[in-house]
Amino acid sequence: MTKQLQPHERVTLRDGTDVLIRPIEPADREMLLAGFEELSPDSRYRRFFSPLGTLDPAWLTYLTSVDHHDHEALIAESVPAGEPVGVARYIRVPEHPAAAEVAVTVVDSWQGKGAASALLALLSGRARAEGITRFHATCLSENRAVIELFRAFSKERSEKMEGSVVEIDMDLPAELADNNPLHAALTHAAAGALTFRHPTPSATAPGGRSEDP
Ligand SMILES: CC(C)(COP(=O)(O)OP(=O)(O)OC[C@H]1O[C@@H](n2cnc3c(N)ncnc32)[C@H](O)[C@@H]1OP(=O)(O)O)[C@@H](O)C(=O)NCCC(=O)NCCS
């Protein structure tokens, strides 16, 4: 069953630029592909664990036609240009319905501005609304950026090294405390820059795959 889409949220990043974060839609195929094509080889490898060349049509369908319940993806696009900025995605674990696999990707030229923090914070809100209390992520152990991102996201977590990867299990924070680093990314939204709009077809950014969100 496809659920009603959530409102859009506009967030001001650390450098003052605005992004619109909203649930992904089937119309986002081209934006998702454009965002993927802007990813550096390093970012592609860190996201997909392989030097992936493209996202084929079947993948694009899977990644954009989500049910917003067991599978949710939020996409960030720049305002007003509508350029792809990033995607955060969860996919519920069928055997453990209160848990979901999570992945976040931000286009290289947008990294370091708080986009992933904002995406992850808003995705966790969507996840909690769908009955999910824990995220699990598989990360390359060399991927310091995402490991630090998840450490900032959840203090209640475990990290287990498995060869070249780290398996991270984390409780979703009930809400963002004022001293949580993720809170800064949403300060402007909390201060009134939060806008609600009806969904409109537009662009996309990178995402994940079925067994590897
Ligand atoms: C990991 C990734 C999503 C982070 O995106 P981002 O928008 O740059 O992250 P943010 O700016 O929101 O940073 C949030 C926190 O993450 C950590 N972080 C981000 N980049 C970092 C880096 N290069 N080195 C160390 N820590 C880093 C920091 O703790 C940072 O908080 P701070 O800025 O207050 O220090 C991005 O680097 C990316 O897309 N990488 C390629 C794909 C990938 O690895 N995906 C993860 C698959 S699970």
Side-chain angles (χ1 to χ4, degrees), residues 13-14 39-40 42-49 85-87 102-108 110-120 136-140 143-153 181-182 184-185 206 212-213:
L13 300 181
R14 201 174 293 147
L39 284 180
S40 67
D42 273 357
S43 287
R44 290 186 191 190
Y45 192 81
R46 287 178 173 175
R47 173 62 185 84
F48 299 103
F49 298 6
V85 172
V87 169
V102 66
V104 189
T105 309
V106 170
V107 171
D108 290 64
W110 284 89
Q111 291 176 10
K113 302 178 179 183
S117 303
L119 280 162
L120 190 56
H136 173 266
T138 302
C139 315
L140 290 174
N143 193 348
R144 180 59 49 194
V146 77
I147 293 170
E148 293 299 330
L149 173 73
F150 289 139
R151 284 177 178 163
F153 171 66
L182 299 175
D212 173 21

Side-chain angles (χ1 to χ4, degrees), residues 10-12 186-196:
R10 186 164 164 161
V11 173
T12 302
L186 299 175
T187 297
H188 290 273
L194 187 66
T195 59
F196 295 93

